[in-house]
Amino acid sequence: MNNYSFIANAHPSYIESLYERYQQNPDLVEEDWRAFFKGFEYGQGTNGHAEVSAKLASSGIDPKEFQVLAMINAYRYRGHLESTTNPIRKRRDRKALLAIEDYGLSEADLDRVFHAALECGLEQPATLREIYAHLRRVYCSHIGFEFNHVQDRDKRRWLRTRIESHHPENDYNLPLEKKRRILEKLNGAVVFEKFLHTKFVGQKRFSLEGGESAIVGLDAIINKSGELGIKEVFIGMAHRGRLNVLANIMRKTYEHIFTEFEGTAIPDQSFGDGDVKYHLGYSSQVMTPSGQEVQLELVPNPSHLEAVNPVVEGFARSKADVLYKSDYDRMLPVLVHGDAALAGQGIVYETIQMSKLEGYATGGTVHLVINNQIGFTTDFDDARSSTYSTGVASVVHAPVFHVNGDDPEALVFAVEMAMEYRQEFNEDVFIDMLCYRRHGHNEGDDPKFTQPEMYDIIVKHPNAREIYLKELIERGHLQKKLADEMEEHFWGTLQERLDNIRQQPLPYTVQLPEQQWQAMKKPEPADFDQSPITGVDRARLDAITRHLLQTPEHFTPLSKAKRLLDDKKKMLEENRLDWAMGELMAYSSILMEGKDVRMSGQDVKRGTFSHRHAVLYDAKTNQQLNRLDGLSAEQGKFRIFNSLLSEFGVMGFEYGYSLGTPHSLIIWEAQFGDFHNGAQTMVDQFLTAAESKWNRMSGLTLLLPHGYEGQGPEHSSARLERFLQACADLNIIVANVTTPANFFHLLRRQLAWNFRKPLVVMSPKSLLRHPECVSPIEEMESGKRFQEVIDDPATSGKVKRIVFCTGKIYYDLLKKKQETKRQDIAVVRVEQLYPLPAKQLEAIVEKYAGAELVWVQEEPANMGAWTHIALHFRPGQVRLISRKASASPATGFKKVHDQQQDAIVTQAMT
C-alpha cells in the first residue's frame, strides 16, 4: 500500500476542514498532512519552493498528485469558460488555462494512475487520460457550471457532488418518458410559431424562434415543482416569447389569444383601455405528468422589460403569507430574462439585493435567461462589461448553469438541479440558456442591417425540435414509426390551429384571494361623493392608546424613547393626539379587526423624522419591541421592515404584495417625497395604469413626505403635479391632509371601501410636531368619517374671499389670518385632490356666494395642484397665489425661502 493512502481514504469534507486548520497554522495538522497541503499549494503555483517537490518525493508522495488536484480545481473554477454552450458560433477564448501543460503535466503522464481521481467524482484511482476526459465531459460539455463564487462550503459541495457525478454522455440519465415530453413541448413551441408565421405574416409578435427550448425549461420547472411539493409558481417575463408561454405553459387557448391578436375581441368597457397581447397576464392550474396540480400565475408586464421582477417577488411573498403560512417551500418565483436586459437594467440588481432580506425574501428565485446574444441591434460586446449577462448572480453567490439551447436534455438536467438547489437552500439560482433570435427584434425588422454574419449562420441553422428529433432517431431512443407518428401529429395540430378547431380550456378553481378580489366592485363617481363611516368605538380607541403608551415590565426603553412616551401620555390627558398617534391608532384599529398591515421603506420603523417609533429598542439587550403586537389575541399581523436603499425595487415589491389580497393595508413610505422619482416606472406603468390596462386593482398606499420648509430642491416636493397629471378614470386617490384624525380616517377608508384604489399621500414633515396639528380623540370615534373638504370654522360676517389650499400651508395661512384678524376670509382645505370633491367645493362656493376665489399653494406656479384645480373651474374664476414658475421645485437658500413663503401668505390675507 502507498504511504499516501490516507489521502485517498479521507472524506473531502475532512480534507477541507484540515486545510482550513493548516491555513491558520501549519503546526495544527500532522506532518503527513502538512506535506500534502504544501504539495497542493505547490501544484497550484502558490508555493514555488523547489524543496517541496523533493520533500514530497522522499516521503513517498508523488508531487504530481497535487498538480492533478490543481487541474481538477481549475476545471471547477474555470471549466465553464470552455463549455460548448453556444449553438451558433465558437466561443471566444477567455484564457481558461485548462490544458494539462498548464499544471506541469505532459503527454508522458497521460497513462499514469493518480489517486486524485477520487476527488472529482471517479470511483477509483484513474489515469490522467481518464481524469482529463472526465473533467472535459463534466465541465466543458453543453452545460457550463459557474459556482465557485458561492462562498458557503456546504453549498459548493452540494453542487460539486451532483455536477461531477452527472453523465452528459448518457443523455443525463433521462428516462424515455421525459425525452418524449421534451419532444412534445418542442412540438408545441414550434407549432405555435409556425401558426403565427403562417396566419399573421409580418405582424409583431416577438417570436421565440431560436429559443424554443425555453418552453422545455419552463415545463421542467413546473413539473419539478410538483415533485418537490411546490403548489404555486409565479412567472415574470418580458414580451419575447410571451405568447408562446401563454399557449404552451399557461395553456391559454389559441382562440382566446388570437381574438386578441386579430383585434376581434370585444373590449370590456367596464374596466378600461386594455393592453397589447404580449403584455397580458394569466392564471391557470396545470396537472404535471406525475399527477400534481400546480397553480400558475403569469404577471402582466409593460415593455419596461425587467420592471416586473420586484412585482413578481412581492406578489409571491403576499401569497406565501396569505395562503401558505409563510412557507416559501410551497411557492416559487420564476423570472425569465433577456440577456441584454438582465445585464443592463438596474432593477435586476435591486431585486437581487432584496432576495435574502427578512422583509423581502421569497425562498429563492429561479432565473431563466433566454440568451439570444443580442439586444435589439446591439451585440453583447456593447451591452455589458461582464463575461456573462448573469454577472449579477455573484452578488448573492447564486450558482449559474450556462446551457446550450439546442440541447433540451441538458436544459432539463440543469433545471432539475437548479430546482433541487432552491428547495434545499432557499436561495436564487440562474439558468443561462444560450440560443439565438431567428428574426429581428420584431418580425418586421431586418437583423441583417447590423448582424449580417450572424444571420447568415442563423438562416441555415435547424431549430431545436429538428435537431432533437434527429438525435432521438439516431440514438435509437425513438423508433422511426413513432417518430413519423409524432411528426404527423405535429403537422395535424398545426392544421387544427389554422382551421380554428376549438380547444377545451383547462378547468380552474378560484383561490381564496381571487374570490376576495372578485367580491370587489368597480367604483362609480358617486362612490366618492362621501366617504364611508370609519370611526371606531371609544372603548376600543382607549384600549389602543393604553397599549401604545406602555411597555412590558421586562423591557428597558431608551431614555429618549421613555420621554417620548411620557410626552404622548401628557398630550392624551390633554386630549391632543399628534400625527404619530393618529397614524399608529389607525394601524392598530385595522389590526384589531383581524386584518394585516404591512409597511416598508427606508427607516420606517422609527420614521425618517423620528416620529413614528413603531418599533422600540431595549436599552440593555437591543431587542426590538413591536408596539403594535399584543393588541388582542385575534389581531392581524403588523409587518414593518426597514428597506434597503431602493425606491424602484421596494415600491415594486410592495405593489406586487398588494395584488395578493385586498384585505391588508400595504404601505410604502419614501424617505423624502421626491425620492419616488427613482420609482417613476412603477408609478407610471403599474400604480396609475394597471387597472385600466390589465384589470388589476391595488390598494397600495404611498406616503410621500412633502412640504416647503426651506430644505432645498430635493427635500421639499413629492412632485404632487405628476400624480395629478396621471389622474383619470378614478384610477388613484391623491390626498394632502392636515389633521391626525383625518389621516386616521383616510388610512382606514382604504379597507372600508368595497373596491381598492392606490392611495398617494403628501405626508407631512414639520406638521409631525406642529402644536396646532393635533386632534381630539372624539374625531376618531364611531360615526366619523374622512373629510374630503374642511371648511373654515372661524369666519364672521360677509366672507369676501375663499382661500382654497391643501396640506401644510394651511397652518401658515391660519397663523397669518389670526395675526391680521381677517374673519372675512375663509381658508378652506381640500384634503382630497383626486377624485376632486366637486360637489363639496361647489357647496362651499355657494355658501360664500360672491366671494373672490383664490387658490394658494407653496409650490411654484407650474407645479403643485394648481393646473389640476384650474381645470375644474371656469377660466378666470380662480386666482393663483404661489411661487413663480420654476425649473427647480424650491430654492436652496433658507432666507429666500422664508421671504417667498411670507409673500405668499401675506398676499393671501391682504
Side-chain angles (χ1 to χ4, degrees), residues 458-668:
I458 289 173
V459 75
K460 302 168 189 171
H461 193 78
N463 65 44
R465 172 188 169 274
E466 293 166 338
I467 293 170
Y468 189 55
L469 181 62
K470 182 180 177 183
E471 286 180 358
L472 288 179
I473 294 172
E474 288 176 350
R475 292 181 201 157
H477 295 164
L478 193 64
Q479 294 179 352
K480 185 66 168 64
K481 180 182 177 183
L482 183 56
D484 290 342
E485 289 175 0
M486 294 189 76
E487 184 82 353
E488 185 178 340
H489 176 72
F490 165 81
W491 290 108
T493 302
L494 175 58
Q495 192 59 49
E496 285 182 1
R497 299 289 79 80
L498 291 171
D499 292 341
N500 292 323
I501 302 298
R502 186 180 295 273
Q503 291 174 277
Q504 186 67 32
L506 290 175
Y508 189 81
T509 303
V510 178
Q511 292 183 316
L512 176 61
E514 292 171 311
Q515 294 173 15
Q516 294 169 342
W517 280 115
Q518 288 175 0
M520 295 283 130
K521 62 167 280 188
K522 179 176 175 59
E524 299 174 357
D527 292 311
F528 297 94
D529 286 345
Q530 187 178 59
S531 292
I533 297 292
T534 47
V536 175
D537 177 75
R538 179 59 182 265
R540 174 164 287 188
L541 290 175
D542 288 341
I544 288 170
T545 55
R546 282 195 302 271
H547 178 84
L548 290 174
L549 298 179
Q550 66 185 11
T551 56
E553 289 183 9
H554 65 273
F555 185 84
T556 306
L558 291 163
S559 57
K560 284 187 177 180
K562 186 176 184 305
R563 284 199 302 273
L564 180 145
L565 294 178
D566 289 342
D567 289 345
K568 303 287 186 187
K569 289 176 184 176
K570 183 178 179 182
M571 291 183 71
L572 179 62
E573 290 170 1
E574 298 169 350
N575 199 15
R576 298 168 62 247
L577 300 175
D578 66 5
W579 198 272
M581 281 297 286
E583 179 185 6
L584 294 179
M585 288 172 70
Y587 302 151
S588 299
S589 65
I590 290 169
L591 293 169
M592 292 186 75
E593 291 167 358
K595 297 170 183 173
D596 295 349
V597 176
R598 176 186 164 94
M599 183 180 206
S600 87
Q602 294 155 26
D603 313 301
V604 294
K605 290 182 178 180
R606 190 202 74 172
T608 297
F609 310 103
S610 196
H611 79 287
R612 182 174 295 116
H613 294 282
V615 174
L616 299 177
Y617 291 81
D618 192 293
K620 295 180 179 177
T621 67
N622 207 44
Q623 287 285 345
Q624 295 185 36
L625 173 68
N626 187 330
R627 293 170 66 197
L628 279 74
D629 280 348
L631 287 159
S632 72
E634 298 79 24
Q635 75 169 76
K637 291 185 178 180
F638 182 63
R639 300 178 174 97
I640 185 166
F641 302 102
N642 287 340
S643 76
L644 69 163
L645 201 63
S646 154
E647 287 81 34
F648 194 170
V650 178
M651 186 196 290
F653 188 97
E654 300 307 335
Y655 173 81
Y657 197 100
S658 74
L659 300 178
T661 173
H663 294 319
S664 295
L665 180 63
I666 315 302
I667 303 162
W668 178 76

Side-chain angles (χ1 to χ4, degrees), residues 246-248 250-254 256-257 260 280-282 503:
L246 282 166
N248 288 299
M250 306 302 296
R251 306 279 294 278
K252 190 175 184 178
T253 66
Y254 276 51
H256 195 170
I257 292 172
E260 298 161 354
L280 302 178
Y282 198 67
Q503 291 174 277

Side-chain angles (χ1 to χ4, degrees), residues 381-440:
D381 282 332
D382 297 318
R384 62 178 187 265
S385 299
S386 56
T387 300
Y388 297 113
S389 64
T390 52
V392 72
S394 63
V395 171
V396 290
H397 314 132
V400 185
F401 308 143
H402 307 278
V403 189
N404 189 314
D406 275 355
D407 187 347
E409 291 181 358
L411 180 59
V412 169
F413 174 82
V415 161
E416 292 186 346
M417 186 164 71
M419 289 292 297
E420 290 168 358
Y421 181 89
R422 187 271 181 183
Q423 289 298 90
E424 179 71 21
F425 300 108
N426 288 128
E427 293 191 0
D428 286 32
V429 59
F430 284 74
I431 303 151
D432 177 22
M433 188 193 80
L434 279 90
C435 52
Y436 54 94
R437 192 184 67 196
R438 177 73 67 182
H439 307 290

Side-chain angles (χ1 to χ4, degrees), residues 183-406:
L183 186 56
E184 288 170 3
K185 299 314 288 186
L186 285 174
N187 277 351
V190 173
V191 162
F192 185 84
E193 298 298 347
K194 284 186 178 292
F195 171 82
L196 291 178
H197 189 70
T198 305
K199 188 150 185 166
F200 303 101
V201 178
Q203 280 209 35
K204 188 186 293 187
R205 66 181 193 267
F206 300 103
S207 159
L208 191 58
E209 288 175 87
E212 295 96 339
S213 290
I215 298 299
V216 173
L218 285 170
D219 182 64
I221 288 172
I222 293 161
N223 295 340
K224 195 66 177 178
S225 293
E227 292 177 20
L228 296 173
I230 293 169
K231 300 297 182 184
E232 191 160 3
V233 176
F234 304 87
I235 303 173
M237 68 180 299
H239 43 272
R240 172 77 52 206
R242 191 179 186 94
L243 294 177
N244 208 316
V245 168
L246 282 166
N248 288 299
I249 296 298
M250 306 302 296
R251 306 279 294 278
K252 190 175 184 178
T253 66
Y254 276 51
E255 179 185 24
H256 195 170
I257 292 172
F258 294 111
T259 52
E260 298 161 354
F261 202 101
E262 293 177 310
T264 58
I266 298 173
D268 182 356
Q269 298 298 330
S270 67
F271 82 81
D273 299 315
D275 199 357
V276 293
K277 51 207 166 284
Y278 38 80
H279 289 170
L280 302 178
Y282 198 67
S283 301
S284 61
Q285 288 152 354
V286 299
M287 193 67 68
T288 68
S290 51
Q292 294 91 13
E293 185 177 81
V294 179
Q295 172 86 16
L296 303 181
E297 300 280 355
L298 179 63
V299 179
N301 189 40
S303 285
H304 292 65
L305 300 175
E306 304 289 332
V308 77
N309 296 357
V311 177
V312 170
E313 300 292 346
F315 189 30
R317 173 70 176 250
S318 179
K319 292 288 279 289
D321 290 343
V322 171
L323 284 183
Y324 305 119
K325 299 181 179 178
S326 302
D327 181 357
Y328 304 135
D329 284 343
R330 299 183 68 191
M331 43 68 69
L332 171 71
V334 175
L335 296 178
V336 182
H337 309 276
D339 53 311
L342 178 64
Q345 297 283 299
I347 189 59
V348 175
Y349 180 85
E350 292 187 33
T351 306
I352 285 289
Q353 279 288 17
M354 289 193 281
S355 66
K356 295 185 179 183
L357 302 180
E358 180 190 3
Y360 311 95
T362 53
T365 297
V366 172
H367 302 261
L368 175 62
V369 186
I370 302 178
N371 186 344
N372 52 37
Q373 308 180 62
I374 192 171
F376 206 147
T377 67
T378 304
D379 285 313
F380 71 82
D381 282 332
D382 297 318
R384 62 178 187 265
S385 299
S386 56
T387 300
Y388 297 113
S389 64
T390 52
V392 72
S394 63
V395 171
V396 290
H397 314 132
V400 185
F401 308 143
H402 307 278
V403 189
N404 189 314
D406 275 355

